[in-house]
Amino acid sequence: MINKETYTQSFKALFRNLVPFVKPYRGMIAGTLFLTLVGSFAAQVNPLLVNETINRVEDLLRQPDPFQNGMRLLLIISAIMLANELLNIGIQFGQKYFGEKIRIKVGSDLSQASVERILSYKMSFFSEPGNQTGLLQTRINRGIESLIGLVQNFFLDILPLFSTAIIALVVMYNANPYVGLLATIIVPAYFYVSQKQAGRLKGWRIQLRGQRERKNHGLINIIDSITVIKSFVREEPEGKKQYDVQMEMLNNQLQTRRTSYVYESLKSFIQQIGVVLIIILTVFLVLDGQMGIGAIMMHIMLFRNVSAPISQLHRIYDQVNDALIYADGFFEVLSNDEAVEAGGDIRAGNVQGQFEVRDVTFTYPNGKQALSNVTLSLEKGKTTAIVGLSGAGKSTLINLLCKFYKPDSGKILLDGVGLEDYENGSLRNNIGLVLQKNHIFKGTIYDNILYGKLDATREEVIEASKRAFLHDQVLLLPEGYDTDAFNLSGGQQQRIAIARLFLKDPPVIFLDEPTASLDAIATEHIKMSLDAIKEGRTVVIISHSLSQIIDADVIHVLKDGRLVETGSHESLYKLNGEYRKIFDASARSLNLDKMLDTLAV
């Protein structure tokens, strides 16, 4: 059984977290509450009217001409009932309209808050195992769905039902205290059963949340890896993984449904027992002369108003528990202050590009140590190559220089100022980054290039495209720069990323395998463009291309996260160390001997 204190604390925390999103719409909430109050009173009209009608008809039957007098009574009753129904229609419309409007607006605010919060988090947050794309997406989406469902149900269902029940109970007590007391005794029994039901179901729902997150993440992983899956003919094992998760969900859902059906049957039995007891008691009071015969039907209808929320308690508990389960994960994302990316107060203005890396050690959130006691300099206005085998820590060093991560120890300075002291946006505005695989946004070629400088003119965008040797290829497309960038080849998409760099025109450039996905001619073109943009800038390049490595002013060699060699191409080659091994291996892989023989012919 769920711990009552924990449940209460969780509900209070949920309410406290939700209030700021609901508070801006207190005017609409006040209007909804007013309509709810009016509707609750209107709901009692029919039971009272039935009581009065039956008693009047009983009196009319004792008169000599009951039909003639009864017609007048019938017209009055019909008019009152019609007016009451019209009032109820207006009230229900207002409740639904305002409730839906509040739901939509709160949902929009929750969604926007999650987006803004995610954008404020540092890179290490997304590297944590529990924050993988599918898991994070499910946590946010299900959290918003459950919260707006709770808001909607509160204003459209829970509040009207319970206010109607309370007023109906007051009317019952006013008509006869014994009948009111009987109704009051039955309600807590129903609440108790519903609470037991909630306690049994919560553990399974928590498991179900985790299973849904794993299933969603698994599906995203299949879509992202479909080429590899098919090339290795691994459709069956991948399908089996998803099937196993689906079976876990199926068993969980069946247990949940089985438990729900047992408790729902018990609650239905309690409700029907209540109706029977009300009938027995009211008939006894009528026979005893304490009430008119109309009171039997009146109290049955009033008890229906009292028990209406009871019949909805399972759904209400479902909504509250779903909100508690999924909202916990959602608000964990929104309230993770430790994950917010910290920035300094110094705005990076006229950046020269002189970097100093002093005794830096860094470990990723998953526990993998990527760098250990690295000390090196990046000279302003010069090109530095970072060389090393895969996993040596090259890309990690770029991430630290961009301030995507903070070192575990040591310090990184730019122009004599610690990176942590710079305001993040102004720092990154001075850095251009081109990766081996760059992200292409949903949209046109033009919009993707414009991302490098949002206020650029069309002429500037086209010029950047020309410098990236993309313009001529774009002109061959039927829709030109309005072509969906997703329809381009990998090499063309890489040129878009390089065009962004030209458009941004920063003083510091980091190139992480910028031509890895390009053909030989495109690589030559891009190299010429990059050579032109390097002039007067601080450039750091990671590449397996010999032509780009040997052109560097300084080469730093990393091995297993440590700096092992530093110098020019000539000095490092003569050193006959790690760099020589990498260079010779690269030359052999390119079959340079045969190439030179061919050129000599």
Side-chain angles (χ1 to χ4, degrees):
M1 179 179 174
I2 187 172
N3 183 278
K4 186 175 181 181
E5 183 178 353
T6 302
Y7 185 89
T8 303
Q9 290 175 350
S10 298
F11 187 80
K12 287 181 179 178
L14 170 63
F15 182 78
R16 185 169 57 251
N17 287 325
L18 193 57
V19 163
F21 295 95
V22 177
K23 193 174 181 180
Y25 310 108
R26 51 185 174 271
M28 284 187 286
I29 292 173
T32 305
L33 292 174
F34 174 75
L35 290 173
T36 298
L37 184 63
V38 174
S40 298
F41 281 106
Q44 318 311 322
V45 170
N46 284 346
L48 295 173
L49 195 61
V50 166
N51 177 49
E52 187 66 21
T53 301
I54 293 175
N55 291 334
R56 289 289 185 90
V57 168
E58 187 180 15
D59 291 339
L60 287 172
L61 290 174
R62 299 191 186 98
Q63 297 179 9
D65 189 8
F67 184 79
Q68 185 174 357
N69 294 328
M71 289 303 297
R72 180 171 175 272
L73 176 63
L74 183 61
L75 289 174
I76 295 173
I77 292 171
S78 299
I80 294 174
M81 293 183 71
L82 179 62
N84 189 53
E85 288 306 314
L86 291 174
L87 178 63
N88 279 327
I89 290 172
I91 290 170
Q92 289 177 14
F93 173 81
Q95 285 177 326
K96 290 180 179 179
Y97 175 76
F98 285 121
E100 186 69 11
K101 195 171 182 180
I102 294 169
R103 184 191 72 83
I104 292 172
K105 287 183 175 292
V106 170
S108 177
D109 292 347
L110 287 167
S111 180
Q112 185 61 28
S114 65
V115 170
E116 292 176 358
R117 194 65 171 173
I118 286 292
L119 289 171
S120 74
Y121 285 167
K122 52 193 176 185
M123 295 288 286
S124 59
F125 172 81
F126 303 97
S127 302
E128 294 175 3
N131 295 328
Q132 294 169 320
T133 303
L135 304 181
L136 201 58
Q137 181 183 20
T138 302
R139 199 175 306 151
I140 291 173
N141 289 344
R142 293 288 298 184
I144 293 174
E145 289 173 8
S146 62
L147 286 169
I148 61 177
L150 182 63
V151 170
Q152 182 183 25
N153 281 321
F154 181 77
F155 290 106
L156 295 183
D157 296 327
I158 299 174
L159 195 61
L161 283 171
F162 275 94
S163 60
T164 298
I166 292 171
I167 293 175
L169 199 58
V170 171
V171 174
M172 291 181 77
Y173 269 104
N174 186 63
N176 190 283
Y178 297 110
V179 182
L181 182 62
L182 177 60
T184 305
I185 292 172
I186 296 170
V187 171
Y190 207 103
F191 267 101
Y192 175 76
V193 174
S194 295
Q195 189 181 25
K196 293 279 288 185
Q197 179 184 10
R200 289 291 301 274
L201 295 179
K202 184 175 182 182
W204 288 328
R205 288 203 175 97
I206 292 174
Q207 292 178 16
L208 189 60
R209 184 187 76 176
Q211 290 161 356
R212 281 173 175 158
E213 289 178 353
R214 293 201 305 275
K215 180 185 176 185
N216 193 39
H217 178 67
L219 184 59
I220 292 174
N221 187 57
I222 286 175
I223 295 171
D224 290 342
S225 311
I226 191 65
T227 302
V228 178
I229 292 170
K230 286 188 173 296
S231 68
F232 283 92
V233 195
R234 294 294 182 265
E235 293 91 341
E236 185 174 341
E238 290 297 330
K240 179 65 167 54
K241 290 179 187 177
Q242 286 297 95
Y243 177 79
D244 290 341
V245 175
Q246 186 63 49
M247 287 301 98
E248 288 180 16
M249 289 181 59
L250 176 64
N251 292 332
N252 195 325
Q253 289 170 327
L254 288 175
Q255 285 182 310
T256 302
R257 295 293 184 273
R258 190 182 304 115
T259 302
S260 292
Y261 294 150
V262 170
Y263 279 98
E264 290 308 313
S265 299
L266 182 58
K267 288 190 291 186
S268 178
F269 174 75
I270 293 173
Q271 186 181 20
Q272 294 305 317
I273 286 294
V275 172
V276 171
L277 292 176
I278 290 291
I279 293 174
I280 292 172
L281 180 58
T282 50
V283 169
F284 172 80
L285 294 173
V286 169
L287 293 175
D288 195 44
Q290 298 183 38
M291 293 189 301
I293 194 171
I296 299 175
M297 184 59 80
M298 179 189 73
H299 281 95
I300 292 173
M301 295 176 69
L302 287 172
F303 183 72
R304 293 290 185 188
N305 287 344
V306 173
S307 61
I310 296 177
S311 63
Q312 299 296 323
L313 273 180
H314 69 283
R315 186 171 58 83
I316 295 168
Y317 267 107
D318 283 350
Q319 288 289 337
V320 172
N321 280 301
D322 275 349
L324 286 174
I325 292 169
Y326 289 104
D328 281 347
F330 175 77
F331 284 119
E332 280 176 12
V333 175
L334 259 64
S335 61
N336 193 345
D337 294 333
E338 293 181 359
V340 175
E341 189 174 37
D345 299 325
I346 299 175
R347 294 190 62 81
N350 186 22
V351 170
Q352 300 300 308
Q354 178 72 35
F355 282 91
E356 295 287 338
V357 179
R358 298 178 180 175
D359 199 27
V360 165
T361 296
F362 175 74
T363 303
Y364 281 103
N366 61 10
K368 178 187 176 183
Q369 187 176 55
L371 296 175
S372 179
N373 305 113
V374 173
T375 298
L376 55 82
S377 296
L378 307 176
E379 297 296 329
K380 64 180 180 181
K382 294 186 178 182
T383 298
T384 302
I386 309 294
V387 177
L389 300 177
S390 297
K394 306 183 297 296
S395 296
T396 299
L397 182 59
I398 294 290
N399 286 332
L400 292 176
L401 293 172
C402 290
K403 204 182 172 183
F404 292 151
Y405 295 92
K406 290 179 62 177
D408 300 336
S409 62
K411 196 172 184 66
I412 301 177
L413 296 92
L414 171 60
D415 297 341
V417 179
L419 280 190
E420 70 275 7
D421 296 326
Y422 282 108
E423 190 272 325
N424 296 333
S426 64
L427 172 67
R428 290 168 189 157
N429 278 333
N430 286 278
I431 296 175
L433 179 63
V434 177
L435 304 172
Q436 179 176 349
K437 182 174 177 58
N438 291 275
H439 183 76
I440 297 299
F441 296 93
K442 180 64 178 175
T444 65
I445 296 172
Y446 182 87
D447 290 337
N448 270 273
I449 298 175
L450 188 66
Y451 203 81
K453 182 183 175 184
L454 296 178
D455 59 350
T457 64
R458 188 171 185 85
E459 290 73 20
E460 289 176 316
V461 171
I462 293 175
E463 178 60 28
S465 177
K466 289 178 179 178
R467 296 178 69 184
F469 291 90
L470 178 65
H471 179 68
D472 291 340
Q473 296 185 24
V474 173
L475 294 181
L476 297 175
L477 300 171
E479 297 180 74
Y481 280 93
D482 292 328
T483 302
D484 188 341
F486 277 160
N487 295 331
L488 301 181
S489 67
Q492 290 171 323
Q493 291 181 351
Q494 186 74 345
R495 294 184 193 212
I496 287 178
I498 295 172
R500 284 180 196 155
L501 174 66
F502 289 132
L503 190 62
K504 187 176 183 180
D505 196 25
V508 178
I509 298 174
F510 296 145
L511 305 172
D512 191 349
E513 294 287 358
T515 59
S517 60
L518 301 181
D519 55 60
I521 295 176
T523 298
E524 183 184 13
H525 290 164
I526 295 300
K527 183 181 181 302
M528 290 188 294
S529 295
L530 292 176
D531 287 343
I533 202 175
K534 286 177 184 178
E535 296 179 5
R537 304 171 197 271
T538 299
V539 179
V540 179
I541 184 167
I542 297 173
S543 178
H544 292 102
S545 172
L546 296 179
S547 62
Q548 297 185 45
I549 293 173
I550 62 178
D551 284 346
D553 298 303
V554 180
I555 300 173
H556 296 295
V557 183
L558 295 176
K559 181 179 180 181
D560 297 329
R562 296 180 180 274
L563 180 66
V564 293
E565 294 172 2
T566 295
S568 65
H569 164 68
E570 291 79 7
S571 65
L572 290 176
Y573 191 79
K574 292 177 182 177
L575 191 61
N576 200 20
E578 185 69 18
Y579 177 77
R580 175 72 173 265
K581 293 179 183 177
I582 296 173
F583 184 88
D584 288 347
S586 298
R588 288 193 299 271
S589 69
L590 292 173
N591 207 356
L592 283 184
D593 291 340
K594 191 169 185 177
M595 288 184 181
L596 291 172
D597 292 341
T598 302
L599 291 173
V601 175

